[in-house]
Amino acid sequence: MICMKEVARPGKFGKFGNSGGEYGAGNGMLNCRLATGQGRPLTILCLGAHSDDIEIGCGGTILKLIEEHERTEFYWVVLSAGKKRRREATESAKAFLEKAKRKTVVVKNFKDGYLPYSGGEIKTYFEGLKRKVSPDIIFTHYRSDLHQDHRVISDLAWNTFRNHLILEYEIPKYDGDLGCPNFFVHLKESICNRKIQYMLKYFASQRENQWFDRETFQSLLRLRGVESNSPDKYAEAFYCRKFVL
């Protein structure tokens, strides 16, 4: 189930099918299901500044979409990764997208920590990407993320893709920038376990960081599950600025 909380004002963005048109009893949620129309594949664009961002922010949602939509197609774009991180990004994407109908994985080599200074080049790349794919959903960083690389990717995604549903994911970090998301995707515990297992397996370079562990990822999934009244206890959360029902 996909839940919208505090629904944003409508805009010309991707559509969702209503699963009944009713708010959940007493929880202020509008439950929705994806609808693409005419049986066409669901196309997803994932944008991440660094090699593990997509997995942390929306890895569970990706696994759920693949499980529930057999014809899902993915464009998976990582903007910054050194040699070792590039290998990690590629192997992780392969695991997460194993059962996807079609997938295109791109790992760019913009300098980690300096993406705002490469904004012109990234914008040019995004413009080219827009000519190749018209996604039903774009997953990108939260606009109020305190990491400078994350913010510029979010800003340029909105600047480039103006007729699409954009969901902004969250990344827990030392800076303490978690907010109040308004869009939730309920997840089964088995999917959460797969997400965490893949991240711990494929991102060995991050294991020395005190925050990169099962407890961090599982606790955020559980908290968002509480906030969205998830029947299976867990959820990933997003910020949705514009939404059409």
Side-chain angles (χ1 to χ4, degrees):
M1 188 66 68
I2 298 172
C3 294
M4 187 72 182
K5 190 175 184 180
E6 299 175 0
V7 181
R9 291 178 296 176
K12 295 181 180 179
F13 283 72
K15 295 181 179 179
F16 274 63
N18 199 324
S19 64
E22 299 178 354
Y23 285 86
N27 64 7
M29 297 286 180
L30 178 62
N31 295 330
C32 309
R33 294 191 185 279
L34 287 171
T36 58
Q38 300 179 347
R40 67 177 178 81
L42 185 67
T43 303
I44 308 295
L45 172 61
C46 301
L47 300 173
H50 311 108
S51 65
D52 53 1
D53 289 341
I54 296 171
E55 292 88 340
I56 294 173
C58 59
T61 299
I62 289 167
L63 293 173
K64 177 172 180 170
L65 288 172
I66 294 173
E67 185 177 281
E68 295 185 352
H69 300 266
E70 294 181 357
R71 300 175 65 196
T72 307
E73 300 178 359
F74 284 88
Y75 281 77
W76 181 291
V77 179
V78 177
L79 277 301
S80 172
K83 185 175 181 180
K84 183 175 182 180
R85 298 277 274 160
R86 174 181 293 271
R87 183 172 62 253
E88 291 179 340
T90 302
E91 292 176 352
S92 176
K94 182 179 179 180
F96 274 87
L97 302 178
E98 180 182 8
K99 296 183 179 180
K101 178 178 181 290
R102 293 178 59 187
K103 54 260 192 182
T104 300
V105 177
V106 178
V107 182
K108 305 293 287 183
N109 61 354
F110 293 102
K111 188 176 180 181
D112 183 4
Y114 291 79
L115 296 194
Y117 306 103
S118 301
E121 296 174 68
I122 296 172
K123 170 63 174 174
T124 298
Y125 172 72
F126 278 12
E127 289 293 338
L129 186 62
K130 184 174 66 174
R131 292 191 288 271
K132 296 178 182 179
V133 58
S134 181
D136 297 291
I137 306 174
I138 298 172
F139 291 106
T140 190
H141 290 278
Y142 176 39
R143 66 174 168 179
S144 297
D145 193 304
L146 293 181
H147 194 299
Q148 69 277 6
D149 288 353
H150 297 179
R151 287 197 306 275
V152 75
I153 298 306
S154 180
D155 287 343
L156 291 176
W158 277 96
N159 180 262
T160 306
F161 296 92
R162 294 178 173 269
N163 194 34
H164 302 80
L165 173 63
I166 299 180
L167 298 179
E168 301 171 358
Y169 56 75
E170 54 186 355
I171 305 288
K173 62 178 73 65
Y174 171 82
D175 307 81
D177 56 7
L178 295 178
C180 297
N182 60 354
F183 194 104
F184 299 82
V185 177
H186 291 166
L187 300 173
K188 296 183 293 187
E189 185 173 5
S190 60
I191 284 182
C192 294
N193 287 336
R194 283 173 60 199
K195 166 184 171 170
I196 296 172
Q197 176 187 351
Y198 288 161
M199 289 193 298
L200 296 179
K201 177 180 180 180
Y202 292 107
F203 295 108
S205 67
Q206 302 304 295
R207 292 175 191 161
E208 63 184 26
N209 294 322
Q210 58 87 15
W211 61 271
F212 197 92
D213 58 25
R214 171 174 291 274
E215 288 79 7
T216 297
F217 303 131
Q218 190 164 21
S219 61
L220 185 56
L221 289 164
R222 182 67 183 103
L223 174 63
R224 298 317 190 193
V226 170
E227 292 177 341
S228 61
N229 197 26
S230 173
D232 293 305
K233 296 185 177 182
Y234 300 99
E236 283 181 337
F238 304 88
Y239 300 84
C240 181
R241 301 192 217 174
K242 297 186 179 182
F243 179 82
V244 170
L245 184 65

